[in-house]
Amino acid sequence: MDRTNVGFIQDELRAGVGVGATAYGLGAGLFFIGYALFEIPSNMVLERLGARVWLTRIMITWGLVIVAMCFIHSVWMFYVLRFLLGVAEAGFFPGVMLYFTQWLPDSSRGRAGAIFLGGSDGAAVVTGPITGALLELHGIGGIAGWRWMFALEGTFSVVVGIVAGFFLVSRIEDAKWLTAEEKTALRAAVSQDQEERSRAPRPRGSGFSSTRRSRCSSASSSR
């Protein structure tokens, strides 16, 4: 929701801040630039600090950036905050996928991934009605509806991030809701899958080296 809600207020941004069509397109694209630049570093930090710290940090930080967007007063501020939103959210999706590999055996991970992706699609469905309802707050307290939208949706993300911090557990060994036997069995299943994946042979003739060899062969035969 926080990523796509800006698409519902393009006219409001044009009227209230002067964000025209070109500026809006650039700002929308800056999100993905920030996301792409920091996606890999974000997941490296997640591997070191654990999901409980890093995934909740991502949720809280992007919520704070969304709240800050209710104070936009210039095109450049729109650019900066869209870029920072991408930076804040970077690594969330692959981080969740990595988290699944640390907690779920292969037989269960596909189902968990489908539920996660379904939640993302569900958010896309409800974003419109929720955003429309928040825009109806226009004028309350002398504040524009789109500013209310950013403030409330961003605050919700911060609250969810804080609450998640009390429930997320980085390691199987720290799960208080599992018995010692369940922890041992789950850890053994996950470790076995990880070991099998590490021993699986890579298909020969794939990747960059294969492409390079085929190009060299073509070049040699053409001489």
Side-chain angles (χ1 to χ4, degrees):
M1 290 177 61
D2 291 335
R3 180 191 302 182
T4 59
N5 55 13
V6 71
F8 294 90
I9 60 166
Q10 184 174 358
D11 293 337
E12 286 80 357
L13 288 174
R14 182 187 299 111
V17 186
V19 178
T22 302
Y24 173 83
L26 176 59
L30 285 172
F31 167 87
F32 295 100
I33 294 176
Y35 193 102
L37 288 176
F38 288 88
E39 183 174 26
I40 294 177
S42 177
N43 281 276
M44 293 172 64
V45 177
L46 184 146
E47 182 71 23
R48 174 168 296 189
L49 298 183
R52 182 173 183 269
V53 173
W54 200 244
L55 290 181
T56 54
R57 192 286 305 166
I58 290 175
M59 287 186 281
I60 293 171
T61 305
W62 94 45
L64 292 174
V65 174
I66 288 294
V67 171
M69 290 188 72
C70 76
F71 299 103
I72 290 175
H73 56 76
S74 68
V75 173
W76 281 103
M77 191 172 181
F78 174 68
Y79 291 158
V80 170
L81 289 176
R82 285 294 296 179
F83 177 79
L84 290 178
L85 181 61
V87 173
E89 193 175 337
F92 181 75
F93 181 85
V96 171
M97 295 295 106
L98 175 63
Y99 186 56
F100 286 166
T101 66
Q102 297 171 343
W103 269 86
L104 299 172
D106 291 348
S107 58
S108 301
R109 197 163 60 250
R111 186 184 315 142
I115 294 173
F116 176 65
L117 293 174
S120 178
D121 293 337
V125 172
V126 302
T127 295
I130 292 177
T131 298
L134 294 178
L135 291 176
E136 292 298 321
L137 299 176
H138 182 78
I140 296 179
I143 301 174
W146 65 271
R147 295 186 188 274
W148 275 116
M149 181 200 72
F150 282 133
L152 294 177
E153 290 187 357
T155 300
F156 179 75
S157 295
V158 172
V159 172
V160 170
I162 293 173
V163 172
F166 291 98
F167 293 95
L168 275 179
V169 178
S170 297
R171 303 185 308 157
I172 295 174
E173 292 75 13
D174 297 330
K176 297 180 180 179
W177 64 87
L178 296 176
T179 65
E181 293 78 9
E182 289 171 335
K183 292 178 183 178
T184 301
L186 181 58
R187 168 49 63 194
V190 172
S191 298
Q192 181 179 355
D193 287 341
Q194 291 175 344
E195 184 177 352
E196 290 177 355
R197 286 196 299 272
S198 66
R199 290 188 315 212
R202 289 187 176 184
R204 298 185 61 182
S206 61
F208 172 77
S209 59
S210 173
T211 303
R212 185 178 180 183
R213 286 196 299 270
S214 65
R215 288 180 177 176
C216 290
S217 300
S218 299
S220 299
S221 61
S222 63
R223 289 178 181 176

